[in-house]
Amino acid sequence: MDVIIENLPLYWNGFLRTLFLSAVSGIIALVLGTLLAAARVSPVAALRGFSTVYVEVLRNTPLTIAFFFAAIVLPRLGVKFEQFEIAAIIALSTYTAAFIAEAVRSGVNSVPVGQAEAARSIGMNFGQVLNLIILPQALRTVVPPLINILIALVKNSSVAGAFFVLELFGYGRQLANANGDAVIAVLLGTAFFYLLLTVPLGILASTVERKVAIAR
Amino acid sequence: MTTHVPGDTLVSLNAVNKHYGQLHVLKDINLQVRKGEVVVVIGPSGSGKSTLCRAINRLETIEGGTISIDGKVLPEEGKELAQLRADVGMVFQSFNLFAHKTILENVTLGPIKVKGVAKAAADKDAMALLERVGVGHQAPKLPAQLSGGQQQRVAIARALAMKPKVMLFDEPTSALDPEMINEVLDVMIQLAKEGMTMIVVTHEMGFARKAADRVVFMADGQIVEDATPEEFFTNPKSDRAKDFLSKLLTH
């Protein structure tokens, strides 16, 4: 236990970095995922095709592959970053966006088709139907699964530790190496700080689920 | 029964065809509706009457022929289609009020977002319309808090708020409890008297007799008869219509 208390500042630093990594990737993934879902239900066949291929490829390949692409392939293609952290954010947000797109799409499908028909018949265009009628209703059903995806994102961000990004898991690994006699305590400490992030998210999910149930 | 005189052609369907897979749901439909006319479309279920109604604002696509509204052919997609739809009011069987918006917002959303009307003016118009259909005091509620009859009257107000040239009704009373049918029909009869151009798909023969200028009888995707209500109900020409009417009268 002394190991944890002695290294509390380090843990705290790692916690903040994980929080930062997850928050930035999460926001980008939410925006990108919603756009992908919109493309998936749009009347333009090319957009639907692109979105489908994107989602299927990223959803069905391991996250480490996304990291390898962002950290190693992208720089060879001329995209240079100052820090690996940027590569981690690219990998995490593009990967997570695929799951968010699927969740939002299923939410869109849960809104009765008559809602869109009524909106179209008063002269709304595709964007208005989506933004004013479908998404506000879809988001209510989508919030719980979205939070699950964000919980997974927080945990997935630990992969960045293996790519020289110092976050919670990265620091944990350093500490474990430096304190060979207290590995279990070090790892428990690391796990505790992850729980500090994910458990409140889970509680938030169930609260929101109870609050936003829409009456029909 | 109506006091107004119908004017120029407003809705025109020429040789309209549509298939659902093998099923030929609309067969060479020709139909002209003039300004101020009330046309009631009746027929057995599966005759294509709802599809016909929905095709007029392109909620259903068609494969052959043309549909034009006020001289303009229905565009395929995009901004022109949205503009044309704003001129065509639609009332659905299942009301389809926006579930996350209040009654007032349901009525003002179209004028504000589509026509760019200022919120204060849209609110004022909407309240007048809601009063007219008898649900003014429900304005701040959500659709789920209203009865079916009230929701359908709100849906009519929502369509009217766009100041449409023609109103389409797709079985507006079929999802309602019997005691709520009349409150909706009364609003529709009032609308007809005021000279609104209406195309109404319904099973309410009483409405057809009272408010229709013409009755169009459809069966198997075709228009079988097109006559005044008087003619159609007392002296139907086709066997198909005679058969349909006899089934109605024996129950």
Side-chain angles (χ1 to χ4, degrees), chain A residues 44-70:
Chain A
V44 183
L47 285 179
R48 283 202 302 272
F50 170 78
S51 174
T52 309
V53 170
Y54 179 100
V55 168
E56 289 308 318
V57 169
L58 274 116
R59 193 165 63 130
N60 294 313
T61 47
L63 174 62
T64 35
I65 304 239
F67 265 94
F68 271 113
F69 259 89

mmCIF file with all atom_site columns, all heavy atoms in Angstrom, chain A residues 44-70:
data_model
loop_
_atom_site.group_PDB
_atom_site.id
_atom_site.type_symbol
_atom_site.label_atom_id
_atom_site.label_alt_id
_atom_site.label_comp_id
_atom_site.label_asym_id
_atom_site.label_entity_id
_atom_site.label_seq_id
_atom_site.pdbx_PDB_ins_code
_atom_site.Cartn_x
_atom_site.Cartn_y
_atom_site.Cartn_z
_atom_site.occupancy
_atom_site.B_iso_or_equiv
_atom_site.pdbx_formal_charge
_atom_site.auth_seq_id
_atom_site.auth_comp_id
_atom_site.auth_asym_id
_atom_site.auth_atom_id
_atom_site.pdbx_PDB_model_num
ATOM 1   N N   . VAL A 1 44 ? -28.223 9.779  -49.981 1.00 0.00 ? 44 VAL A N   1
ATOM 2   C CA  . VAL A 1 44 ? -27.137 9.707  -50.959 1.00 0.00 ? 44 VAL A CA  1
ATOM 3   C C   . VAL A 1 44 ? -26.418 8.350  -50.831 1.00 0.00 ? 44 VAL A C   1
ATOM 4   O O   . VAL A 1 44 ? -25.822 8.049  -49.799 1.00 0.00 ? 44 VAL A O   1
ATOM 5   C CB  . VAL A 1 44 ? -26.135 10.860 -50.740 1.00 0.00 ? 44 VAL A CB  1
ATOM 6   C CG1 . VAL A 1 44 ? -25.041 10.832 -51.800 1.00 0.00 ? 44 VAL A CG1 1
ATOM 7   C CG2 . VAL A 1 44 ? -26.861 12.189 -50.745 1.00 0.00 ? 44 VAL A CG2 1
ATOM 8   N N   . ALA A 1 45 ? -26.457 7.560  -51.885 1.00 0.00 ? 45 ALA A N   1
ATOM 9   C CA  . ALA A 1 45 ? -25.928 6.199  -51.827 1.00 0.00 ? 45 ALA A CA  1
ATOM 10  C C   . ALA A 1 45 ? -24.429 6.176  -51.508 1.00 0.00 ? 45 ALA A C   1
ATOM 11  O O   . ALA A 1 45 ? -23.965 5.328  -50.748 1.00 0.00 ? 45 ALA A O   1
ATOM 12  C CB  . ALA A 1 45 ? -26.201 5.473  -53.141 1.00 0.00 ? 45 ALA A CB  1
ATOM 13  N N   . ALA A 1 46 ? -23.660 7.127  -52.056 1.00 0.00 ? 46 ALA A N   1
ATOM 14  C CA  . ALA A 1 46 ? -22.215 7.146  -51.840 1.00 0.00 ? 46 ALA A CA  1
ATOM 15  C C   . ALA A 1 46 ? -21.894 7.356  -50.356 1.00 0.00 ? 46 ALA A C   1
ATOM 16  O O   . ALA A 1 46 ? -20.992 6.717  -49.805 1.00 0.00 ? 46 ALA A O   1
ATOM 17  C CB  . ALA A 1 46 ? -21.582 8.251  -52.677 1.00 0.00 ? 46 ALA A CB  1
ATOM 18  N N   . LEU A 1 47 ? -22.645 8.243  -49.706 1.00 0.00 ? 47 LEU A N   1
ATOM 19  C CA  . LEU A 1 47 ? -22.434 8.493  -48.270 1.00 0.00 ? 47 LEU A CA  1
ATOM 20  C C   . LEU A 1 47 ? -22.773 7.252  -47.456 1.00 0.00 ? 47 LEU A C   1
ATOM 21  O O   . LEU A 1 47 ? -22.048 6.880  -46.533 1.00 0.00 ? 47 LEU A O   1
ATOM 22  C CB  . LEU A 1 47 ? -23.311 9.663  -47.799 1.00 0.00 ? 47 LEU A CB  1
ATOM 23  C CG  . LEU A 1 47 ? -22.867 11.066 -48.193 1.00 0.00 ? 47 LEU A CG  1
ATOM 24  C CD1 . LEU A 1 47 ? -23.856 12.103 -47.678 1.00 0.00 ? 47 LEU A CD1 1
ATOM 25  C CD2 . LEU A 1 47 ? -21.479 11.355 -47.637 1.00 0.00 ? 47 LEU A CD2 1
ATOM 26  N N   . ARG A 1 48 ? -23.897 6.615  -47.830 1.00 0.00 ? 48 ARG A N   1
ATOM 27  C CA  . ARG A 1 48 ? -24.278 5.387  -47.117 1.00 0.00 ? 48 ARG A CA  1
ATOM 28  C C   . ARG A 1 48 ? -23.180 4.339  -47.249 1.00 0.00 ? 48 ARG A C   1
ATOM 29  O O   . ARG A 1 48 ? -22.803 3.694  -46.276 1.00 0.00 ? 48 ARG A O   1
ATOM 30  C CB  . ARG A 1 48 ? -25.589 4.826  -47.686 1.00 0.00 ? 48 ARG A CB  1
ATOM 31  C CG  . ARG A 1 48 ? -26.824 5.559  -47.230 1.00 0.00 ? 48 ARG A CG  1
ATOM 32  C CD  . ARG A 1 48 ? -28.054 4.663  -47.382 1.00 0.00 ? 48 ARG A CD  1
ATOM 33  N NE  . ARG A 1 48 ? -28.250 4.200  -48.741 1.00 0.00 ? 48 ARG A NE  1
ATOM 34  C CZ  . ARG A 1 48 ? -28.933 4.865  -49.678 1.00 0.00 ? 48 ARG A CZ  1
ATOM 35  N NH1 . ARG A 1 48 ? -29.477 6.025  -49.374 1.00 0.00 ? 48 ARG A NH1 1
ATOM 36  N NH2 . ARG A 1 48 ? -29.065 4.388  -50.887 1.00 0.00 ? 48 ARG A NH2 1
ATOM 37  N N   . GLY A 1 49 ? -22.649 4.195  -48.464 1.00 0.00 ? 49 GLY A N   1
ATOM 38  C CA  . GLY A 1 49 ? -21.605 3.200  -48.720 1.00 0.00 ? 49 GLY A CA  1
ATOM 39  C C   . GLY A 1 49 ? -20.360 3.483  -47.910 1.00 0.00 ? 49 GLY A C   1
ATOM 40  O O   . GLY A 1 49 ? -19.819 2.597  -47.240 1.00 0.00 ? 49 GLY A O   1
ATOM 41  N N   . PHE A 1 50 ? -19.923 4.744  -47.927 1.00 0.00 ? 50 PHE A N   1
ATOM 42  C CA  . PHE A 1 50 ? -18.722 5.115  -47.181 1.00 0.00 ? 50 PHE A CA  1
ATOM 43  C C   . PHE A 1 50 ? -18.891 4.798  -45.703 1.00 0.00 ? 50 PHE A C   1
ATOM 44  O O   . PHE A 1 50 ? -18.031 4.178  -45.072 1.00 0.00 ? 50 PHE A O   1
ATOM 45  C CB  . PHE A 1 50 ? -18.414 6.607  -47.362 1.00 0.00 ? 50 PHE A CB  1
ATOM 46  C CG  . PHE A 1 50 ? -17.330 7.102  -46.442 1.00 0.00 ? 50 PHE A CG  1
ATOM 47  C CD1 . PHE A 1 50 ? -15.995 6.840  -46.719 1.00 0.00 ? 50 PHE A CD1 1
ATOM 48  C CD2 . PHE A 1 50 ? -17.644 7.795  -45.274 1.00 0.00 ? 50 PHE A CD2 1
ATOM 49  C CE1 . PHE A 1 50 ? -14.996 7.271  -45.863 1.00 0.00 ? 50 PHE A CE1 1
ATOM 50  C CE2 . PHE A 1 50 ? -16.649 8.218  -44.401 1.00 0.00 ? 50 PHE A CE2 1
ATOM 51  C CZ  . PHE A 1 50 ? -15.326 7.956  -44.703 1.00 0.00 ? 50 PHE A CZ  1
ATOM 52  N N   . SER A 1 51 ? -20.031 5.221  -45.148 1.00 0.00 ? 51 SER A N   1
ATOM 53  C CA  . SER A 1 51 ? -20.277 5.035  -43.726 1.00 0.00 ? 51 SER A CA  1
ATOM 54  C C   . SER A 1 51 ? -20.297 3.544  -43.362 1.00 0.00 ? 51 SER A C   1
ATOM 55  O O   . SER A 1 51 ? -19.735 3.132  -42.341 1.00 0.00 ? 51 SER A O   1
ATOM 56  C CB  . SER A 1 51 ? -21.609 5.696  -43.353 1.00 0.00 ? 51 SER A CB  1
ATOM 57  O OG  . SER A 1 51 ? -21.939 5.416  -42.031 1.00 0.00 ? 51 SER A OG  1
ATOM 58  N N   . THR A 1 52 ? -20.939 2.746  -44.207 1.00 0.00 ? 52 THR A N   1
ATOM 59  C CA  . THR A 1 52 ? -21.030 1.310  -43.935 1.00 0.00 ? 52 THR A CA  1
ATOM 60  C C   . THR A 1 52 ? -19.634 0.676  -43.904 1.00 0.00 ? 52 THR A C   1
ATOM 61  O O   . THR A 1 52 ? -19.293 -0.062 -42.976 1.00 0.00 ? 52 THR A O   1
ATOM 62  C CB  . THR A 1 52 ? -21.883 0.610  -45.013 1.00 0.00 ? 52 THR A CB  1
ATOM 63  O OG1 . THR A 1 52 ? -23.107 1.324  -45.147 1.00 0.00 ? 52 THR A OG1 1
ATOM 64  C CG2 . THR A 1 52 ? -22.171 -0.831 -44.643 1.00 0.00 ? 52 THR A CG2 1
ATOM 65  N N   . VAL A 1 53 ? -18.827 1.000  -44.924 1.00 0.00 ? 53 VAL A N   1
ATOM 66  C CA  . VAL A 1 53 ? -17.489 0.414  -45.004 1.00 0.00 ? 53 VAL A CA  1
ATOM 67  C C   . VAL A 1 53 ? -16.654 0.864  -43.804 1.00 0.00 ? 53 VAL A C   1
ATOM 68  O O   . VAL A 1 53 ? -15.994 0.056  -43.146 1.00 0.00 ? 53 VAL A O   1
ATOM 69  C CB  . VAL A 1 53 ? -16.811 0.819  -46.330 1.00 0.00 ? 53 VAL A CB  1
ATOM 70  C CG1 . VAL A 1 53 ? -15.334 0.416  -46.318 1.00 0.00 ? 53 VAL A CG1 1
ATOM 71  C CG2 . VAL A 1 53 ? -17.533 0.164  -47.506 1.00 0.00 ? 53 VAL A CG2 1
ATOM 72  N N   . TYR A 1 54 ? -16.698 2.154  -43.488 1.00 0.00 ? 54 TYR A N   1
ATOM 73  C CA  . TYR A 1 54 ? -15.942 2.680  -42.352 1.00 0.00 ? 54 TYR A CA  1
ATOM 74  C C   . TYR A 1 54 ? -16.285 1.924  -41.071 1.00 0.00 ? 54 TYR A C   1
ATOM 75  O O   . TYR A 1 54 ? -15.404 1.424  -40.357 1.00 0.00 ? 54 TYR A O   1
ATOM 76  C CB  . TYR A 1 54 ? -16.256 4.179  -42.168 1.00 0.00 ? 54 TYR A CB  1
ATOM 77  C CG  . TYR A 1 54 ? -15.534 4.816  -40.993 1.00 0.00 ? 54 TYR A CG  1
ATOM 78  C CD1 . TYR A 1 54 ? -14.390 5.568  -41.194 1.00 0.00 ? 54 TYR A CD1 1
ATOM 79  C CD2 . TYR A 1 54 ? -15.993 4.644  -39.683 1.00 0.00 ? 54 TYR A CD2 1
ATOM 80  C CE1 . TYR A 1 54 ? -13.714 6.140  -40.126 1.00 0.00 ? 54 TYR A CE1 1
ATOM 81  C CE2 . TYR A 1 54 ? -15.327 5.206  -38.609 1.00 0.00 ? 54 TYR A CE2 1
ATOM 82  C CZ  . TYR A 1 54 ? -14.193 5.952  -38.835 1.00 0.00 ? 54 TYR A CZ  1
ATOM 83  O OH  . TYR A 1 54 ? -13.529 6.510  -37.778 1.00 0.00 ? 54 TYR A OH  1
ATOM 84  N N   . VAL A 1 55 ? -17.602 1.857  -40.798 1.00 0.00 ? 55 VAL A N   1
ATOM 85  C CA  . VAL A 1 55 ? -18.045 1.234  -39.554 1.00 0.00 ? 55 VAL A CA  1
ATOM 86  C C   . VAL A 1 55 ? -17.624 -0.234 -39.510 1.00 0.00 ? 55 VAL A C   1
ATOM 87  O O   . VAL A 1 55 ? -17.087 -0.709 -38.503 1.00 0.00 ? 55 VAL A O   1
ATOM 88  C CB  . VAL A 1 55 ? -19.572 1.376  -39.380 1.00 0.00 ? 55 VAL A CB  1
ATOM 89  C CG1 . VAL A 1 55 ? -20.082 0.477  -38.248 1.00 0.00 ? 55 VAL A CG1 1
ATOM 90  C CG2 . VAL A 1 55 ? -19.937 2.827  -39.098 1.00 0.00 ? 55 VAL A CG2 1
ATOM 91  N N   . GLU A 1 56 ? -17.850 -0.950 -40.618 1.00 0.00 ? 56 GLU A N   1
ATOM 92  C CA  . GLU A 1 56 ? -17.544 -2.382 -40.607 1.00 0.00 ? 56 GLU A CA  1
ATOM 93  C C   . GLU A 1 56 ? -16.047 -2.636 -40.421 1.00 0.00 ? 56 GLU A C   1
ATOM 94  O O   . GLU A 1 56 ? -15.637 -3.537 -39.699 1.00 0.00 ? 56 GLU A O   1
ATOM 95  C CB  . GLU A 1 56 ? -18.052 -3.052 -41.899 1.00 0.00 ? 56 GLU A CB  1
ATOM 96  C CG  . GLU A 1 56 ? -19.570 -3.150 -41.969 1.00 0.00 ? 56 GLU A CG  1
ATOM 97  C CD  . GLU A 1 56 ? -20.199 -3.787 -40.731 1.00 0.00 ? 56 GLU A CD  1
ATOM 98  O OE1 . GLU A 1 56 ? -19.651 -4.782 -40.233 1.00 0.00 ? 56 GLU A OE1 1
ATOM 99  O OE2 . GLU A 1 56 ? -21.237 -3.267 -40.259 1.00 0.00 ? 56 GLU A OE2 1
ATOM 100 N N   . VAL A 1 57 ? -15.220 -1.826 -41.087 1.00 0.00 ? 57 VAL A N   1
ATOM 101 C CA  . VAL A 1 57 ? -13.770 -2.038 -40.988 1.00 0.00 ? 57 VAL A CA  1
ATOM 102 C C   . VAL A 1 57 ? -13.275 -1.734 -39.574 1.00 0.00 ? 57 VAL A C   1
ATOM 103 O O   . VAL A 1 57 ? -12.574 -2.543 -38.964 1.00 0.00 ? 57 VAL A O   1
ATOM 104 C CB  . VAL A 1 57 ? -13.012 -1.184 -42.029 1.00 0.00 ? 57 VAL A CB  1
ATOM 105 C CG1 . VAL A 1 57 ? -11.514 -1.194 -41.737 1.00 0.00 ? 57 VAL A CG1 1
ATOM 106 C CG2 . VAL A 1 57 ? -13.275 -1.707 -43.437 1.00 0.00 ? 57 VAL A CG2 1
ATOM 107 N N   . LEU A 1 58 ? -13.644 -0.574 -39.029 1.00 0.00 ? 58 LEU A N   1
ATOM 108 C CA  . LEU A 1 58 ? -13.095 -0.204 -37.721 1.00 0.00 ? 58 LEU A CA  1
ATOM 109 C C   . LEU A 1 58 ? -13.699 -0.980 -36.565 1.00 0.00 ? 58 LEU A C   1
ATOM 110 O O   . LEU A 1 58 ? -13.035 -1.240 -35.569 1.00 0.00 ? 58 LEU A O   1
ATOM 111 C CB  . LEU A 1 58 ? -13.214 1.299  -37.495 1.00 0.00 ? 58 LEU A CB  1
ATOM 112 C CG  . LEU A 1 58 ? -11.985 1.952  -38.127 1.00 0.00 ? 58 LEU A CG  1
ATOM 113 C CD1 . LEU A 1 58 ? -12.346 2.842  -39.263 1.00 0.00 ? 58 LEU A CD1 1
ATOM 114 C CD2 . LEU A 1 58 ? -11.121 2.623  -37.096 1.00 0.00 ? 58 LEU A CD2 1
ATOM 115 N N   . ARG A 1 59 ? -14.953 -1.380 -36.735 1.00 0.00 ? 59 ARG A N   1
ATOM 116 C CA  . ARG A 1 59 ? -15.613 -2.117 -35.658 1.00 0.00 ? 59 ARG A CA  1
ATOM 117 C C   . ARG A 1 59 ? -15.075 -3.541 -35.578 1.00 0.00 ? 59 ARG A C   1
ATOM 118 O O   . ARG A 1 59 ? -15.113 -4.166 -34.530 1.00 0.00 ? 59 ARG A O   1
ATOM 119 C CB  . ARG A 1 59 ? -17.118 -2.135 -35.924 1.00 0.00 ? 59 ARG A CB  1
ATOM 120 C CG  . ARG A 1 59 ? -17.949 -2.576 -34.754 1.00 0.00 ? 59 ARG A CG  1
ATOM 121 C CD  . ARG A 1 59 ? -19.379 -2.212 -35.014 1.00 0.00 ? 59 ARG A CD  1
ATOM 122 N NE  . ARG A 1 59 ? -19.891 -2.931 -36.179 1.00 0.00 ? 59 ARG A NE  1
ATOM 123 C CZ  . ARG A 1 59 ? -21.032 -3.603 -36.182 1.00 0.00 ? 59 ARG A CZ  1
ATOM 124 N NH1 . ARG A 1 59 ? -21.755 -3.648 -35.105 1.00 0.00 ? 59 ARG A NH1 1
ATOM 125 N NH2 . ARG A 1 59 ? -21.454 -4.221 -37.261 1.00 0.00 ? 59 ARG A NH2 1
ATOM 126 N N   . ASN A 1 60 ? -14.627 -4.055 -36.697 1.00 0.00 ? 60 ASN A N   1
ATOM 127 C CA  . ASN A 1 60 ? -14.266 -5.474 -36.756 1.00 0.00 ? 60 ASN A CA  1
ATOM 128 C C   . ASN A 1 60 ? -12.759 -5.735 -36.786 1.00 0.00 ? 60 ASN A C   1
ATOM 129 O O   . ASN A 1 60 ? -12.331 -6.832 -37.105 1.00 0.00 ? 60 ASN A O   1
ATOM 130 C CB  . ASN A 1 60 ? -14.929 -6.129 -37.964 1.00 0.00 ? 60 ASN A CB  1
ATOM 131 C CG  . ASN A 1 60 ? -16.445 -6.148 -37.805 1.00 0.00 ? 60 ASN A CG  1
ATOM 132 O OD1 . ASN A 1 60 ? -16.950 -6.517 -36.750 1.00 0.00 ? 60 ASN A OD1 1
ATOM 133 N ND2 . ASN A 1 60 ? -17.152 -5.712 -38.818 1.00 0.00 ? 60 ASN A ND2 1
ATOM 134 N N   . THR A 1 61 ? -11.962 -4.698 -36.499 1.00 0.00 ? 61 THR A N   1
ATOM 135 C CA  . THR A 1 61 ? -10.522 -4.925 -36.379 1.00 0.00 ? 61 THR A CA  1
ATOM 136 C C   . THR A 1 61 ? -10.084 -4.510 -34.982 1.00 0.00 ? 61 THR A C   1
ATOM 137 O O   . THR A 1 61 ? -10.710 -3.656 -34.368 1.00 0.00 ? 61 THR A O   1
ATOM 138 C CB  . THR A 1 61 ? -9.735  -4.110 -37.424 1.00 0.00 ? 61 THR A CB  1
ATOM 139 O OG1 . THR A 1 61 ? -10.233 -2.782 -37.420 1.00 0.00 ? 61 THR A OG1 1
ATOM 140 C CG2 . THR A 1 61 ? -9.870  -4.701 -38.815 1.00 0.00 ? 61 THR A CG2 1
ATOM 141 N N   . PRO A 1 62 ? -9.008  -5.116 -34.456 1.00 0.00 ? 62 PRO A N   1
ATOM 142 C CA  . PRO A 1 62 ? -8.581  -4.778 -33.100 1.00 0.00 ? 62 PRO A CA  1
ATOM 143 C C   . PRO A 1 62 ? -8.114  -3.325 -33.005 1.00 0.00 ? 62 PRO A C   1
ATOM 144 O O   . PRO A 1 62 ? -7.595  -2.757 -33.970 1.00 0.00 ? 62 PRO A O   1
ATOM 145 C CB  . PRO A 1 62 ? -7.409  -5.726 -32.844 1.00 0.00 ? 62 PRO A CB  1
ATOM 146 C CG  . PRO A 1 62 ? -7.490  -6.766 -33.891 1.00 0.00 ? 62 PRO A CG  1
ATOM 147 C CD  . PRO A 1 62 ? -8.175  -6.159 -35.052 1.00 0.00 ? 62 PRO A CD  1
ATOM 148 N N   . LEU A 1 63 ? -8.309  -2.769 -31.821 1.00 0.00 ? 63 LEU A N   1
ATOM 149 C CA  . LEU A 1 63 ? -7.902  -1.384 -31.572 1.00 0.00 ? 63 LEU A CA  1
ATOM 150 C C   . LEU A 1 63 ? -6.404  -1.192 -31.800 1.00 0.00 ? 63 LEU A C   1
ATOM 151 O O   . LEU A 1 63 ? -5.972  -0.144 -32.280 1.00 0.00 ? 63 LEU A O   1
ATOM 152 C CB  . LEU A 1 63 ? -8.278  -1.016 -30.130 1.00 0.00 ? 63 LEU A CB  1
ATOM 153 C CG  . LEU A 1 63 ? -7.816  0.337  -29.613 1.00 0.00 ? 63 LEU A CG  1
ATOM 154 C CD1 . LEU A 1 63 ? -8.427  1.459  -30.442 1.00 0.00 ? 63 LEU A CD1 1
ATOM 155 C CD2 . LEU A 1 63 ? -8.214  0.503  -28.154 1.00 0.00 ? 63 LEU A CD2 1
ATOM 156 N N   . THR A 1 64 ? -5.616  -2.239 -31.495 1.00 0.00 ? 64 THR A N   1
ATOM 157 C CA  . THR A 1 64 ? -4.159  -2.097 -31.658 1.00 0.00 ? 64 THR A CA  1
ATOM 158 C C   . THR A 1 64 ? -3.797  -1.811 -33.118 1.00 0.00 ? 64 THR A C   1
ATOM 159 O O   . THR A 1 64 ? -2.850  -1.088 -33.385 1.00 0.00 ? 64 THR A O   1
ATOM 160 C CB  . THR A 1 64 ? -3.423  -3.373 -31.201 1.00 0.00 ? 64 THR A CB  1
ATOM 161 O OG1 . THR A 1 64 ? -4.225  -4.496 -31.517 1.00 0.00 ? 64 THR A OG1 1
ATOM 162 C CG2 . THR A 1 64 ? -3.136  -3.333 -29.729 1.00 0.00 ? 64 THR A CG2 1
ATOM 163 N N   . ILE A 1 65 ? -4.588  -2.375 -34.042 1.00 0.00 ? 65 ILE A N   1
ATOM 164 C CA  . ILE A 1 65 ? -4.317  -2.108 -35.458 1.00 0.00 ? 65 ILE A CA  1
ATOM 165 C C   . ILE A 1 65 ? -4.521  -0.619 -35.744 1.00 0.00 ? 65 ILE A C   1
ATOM 166 O O   . ILE A 1 65 ? -3.727  0.018  -36.442 1.00 0.00 ? 65 ILE A O   1
ATOM 167 C CB  . ILE A 1 65 ? -5.246  -2.951 -36.361 1.00 0.00 ? 65 ILE A CB  1
ATOM 168 C CG1 . ILE A 1 65 ? -5.078  -4.421 -36.025 1.00 0.00 ? 65 ILE A CG1 1
ATOM 169 C CG2 . ILE A 1 65 ? -5.008  -2.617 -37.835 1.00 0.00 ? 65 ILE A CG2 1
ATOM 170 C CD1 . ILE A 1 65 ? -4.631  -5.302 -37.121 1.00 0.00 ? 65 ILE A CD1 1
ATOM 171 N N   . ALA A 1 66 ? -5.599  -0.052 -35.173 1.00 0.00 ? 66 ALA A N   1
ATOM 172 C CA  . ALA A 1 66 ? -5.847  1.386  -35.357 1.00 0.00 ? 66 ALA A CA  1
ATOM 173 C C   . ALA A 1 66 ? -4.668  2.180  -34.799 1.00 0.00 ? 66 ALA A C   1
ATOM 174 O O   . ALA A 1 66 ? -4.219  3.162  -35.398 1.00 0.00 ? 66 ALA A O   1
ATOM 175 C CB  . ALA A 1 66 ? -7.145  1.781  -34.667 1.00 0.00 ? 66 ALA A CB  1
ATOM 176 N N   . PHE A 1 67 ? -4.136  1.733  -33.642 1.00 0.00 ? 67 PHE A N   1
ATOM 177 C CA  . PHE A 1 67 ? -2.987  2.426  -33.050 1.00 0.00 ? 67 PHE A CA  1
ATOM 178 C C   . PHE A 1 67 ? -1.755  2.320  -33.944 1.00 0.00 ? 67 PHE A C   1
ATOM 179 O O   . PHE A 1 67 ? -1.048  3.305  -34.157 1.00 0.00 ? 67 PHE A O   1
ATOM 180 C CB  . PHE A 1 67 ? -2.684  1.852  -31.658 1.00 0.00 ? 67 PHE A CB  1
ATOM 181 C CG  . PHE A 1 67 ? -3.320  2.650  -30.555 1.00 0.00 ? 67 PHE A CG  1
ATOM 182 C CD1 . PHE A 1 67 ? -4.552  2.291  -30.046 1.00 0.00 ? 67 PHE A CD1 1
ATOM 183 C CD2 . PHE A 1 67 ? -2.684  3.774  -30.040 1.00 0.00 ? 67 PHE A CD2 1
ATOM 184 C CE1 . PHE A 1 67 ? -5.143  3.029  -29.041 1.00 0.00 ? 67 PHE A CE1 1
ATOM 185 C CE2 . PHE A 1 67 ? -3.270  4.512  -29.026 1.00 0.00 ? 67 PHE A CE2 1
ATOM 186 C CZ  . PHE A 1 67 ? -4.505  4.139  -28.525 1.00 0.00 ? 67 PHE A CZ  1
ATOM 187 N N   . PHE A 1 68 ? -1.510  1.122  -34.474 1.00 0.00 ? 68 PHE A N   1
ATOM 188 C CA  . PHE A 1 68 ? -0.358  0.963  -35.365 1.00 0.00 ? 68 PHE A CA  1
ATOM 189 C C   . PHE A 1 68 ? -0.481  1.876  -36.580 1.00 0.00 ? 68 PHE A C   1
ATOM 190 O O   . PHE A 1 68 ? 0.484   2.514  -36.995 1.00 0.00 ? 68 PHE A O   1
ATOM 191 C CB  . PHE A 1 68 ? -0.223  -0.503 -35.816 1.00 0.00 ? 68 PHE A CB  1
ATOM 192 C CG  . PHE A 1 68 ? 0.609   -1.318 -34.881 1.00 0.00 ? 68 PHE A CG  1
ATOM 193 C CD1 . PHE A 1 68 ? 0.057   -2.340 -34.128 1.00 0.00 ? 68 PHE A CD1 1
ATOM 194 C CD2 . PHE A 1 68 ? 1.972   -1.031 -34.732 1.00 0.00 ? 68 PHE A CD2 1
ATOM 195 C CE1 . PHE A 1 68 ? 0.829   -3.083 -33.250 1.00 0.00 ? 68 PHE A CE1 1
ATOM 196 C CE2 . PHE A 1 68 ? 2.753   -1.775 -33.860 1.00 0.00 ? 68 PHE A CE2 1
ATOM 197 C CZ  . PHE A 1 68 ? 2.179   -2.802 -33.117 1.00 0.00 ? 68 PHE A CZ  1
ATOM 198 N N   . PHE A 1 69 ? -1.678  1.948  -37.122 1.00 0.00 ? 69 PHE A N   1
ATOM 199 C CA  . PHE A 1 69 ? -1.892  2.829  -38.278 1.00 0.00 ? 69 PHE A CA  1
ATOM 200 C C   . PHE A 1 69 ? -1.597  4.271  -37.915 1.00 0.00 ? 69 PHE A C   1
ATOM 201 O O   . PHE A 1 69 ? -0.853  4.964  -38.615 1.00 0.00 ? 69 PHE A O   1
ATOM 202 C CB  . PHE A 1 69 ? -3.336  2.713  -38.779 1.00 0.00 ? 69 PHE A CB  1
ATOM 203 C CG  . PHE A 1 69 ? -3.451  1.844  -39.975 1.00 0.00 ? 69 PHE A CG  1
ATOM 204 C CD1 . PHE A 1 69 ? -3.654  0.476  -39.823 1.00 0.00 ? 69 PHE A CD1 1
ATOM 205 C CD2 . PHE A 1 69 ? -3.328  2.362  -41.257 1.00 0.00 ? 69 PHE A CD2 1
ATOM 206 C CE1 . PHE A 1 69 ? -3.744  -0.346 -40.923 1.00 0.00 ? 69 PHE A CE1 1
ATOM 207 C CE2 . PHE A 1 69 ? -3.409  1.540  -42.355 1.00 0.00 ? 69 PHE A CE2 1
ATOM 208 C CZ  . PHE A 1 69 ? -3.617  0.181  -42.196 1.00 0.00 ? 69 PHE A CZ  1
ATOM 209 N N   . ALA A 1 70 ? -2.175  4.710  -36.788 1.00 0.00 ? 70 ALA A N   1
ATOM 210 C CA  . ALA A 1 70 ? -2.031  6.119  -36.409 1.00 0.00 ? 70 ALA A CA  1
ATOM 211 C C   . ALA A 1 70 ? -0.588  6.431  -36.028 1.00 0.00 ? 70 ALA A C   1
ATOM 212 O O   . ALA A 1 70 ? -0.062  7.493  -36.362 1.00 0.00 ? 70 ALA A O   1
ATOM 213 C CB  . ALA A 1 70 ? -2.975  6.443  -35.257 1.00 0.00 ? 70 ALA A CB  1
#
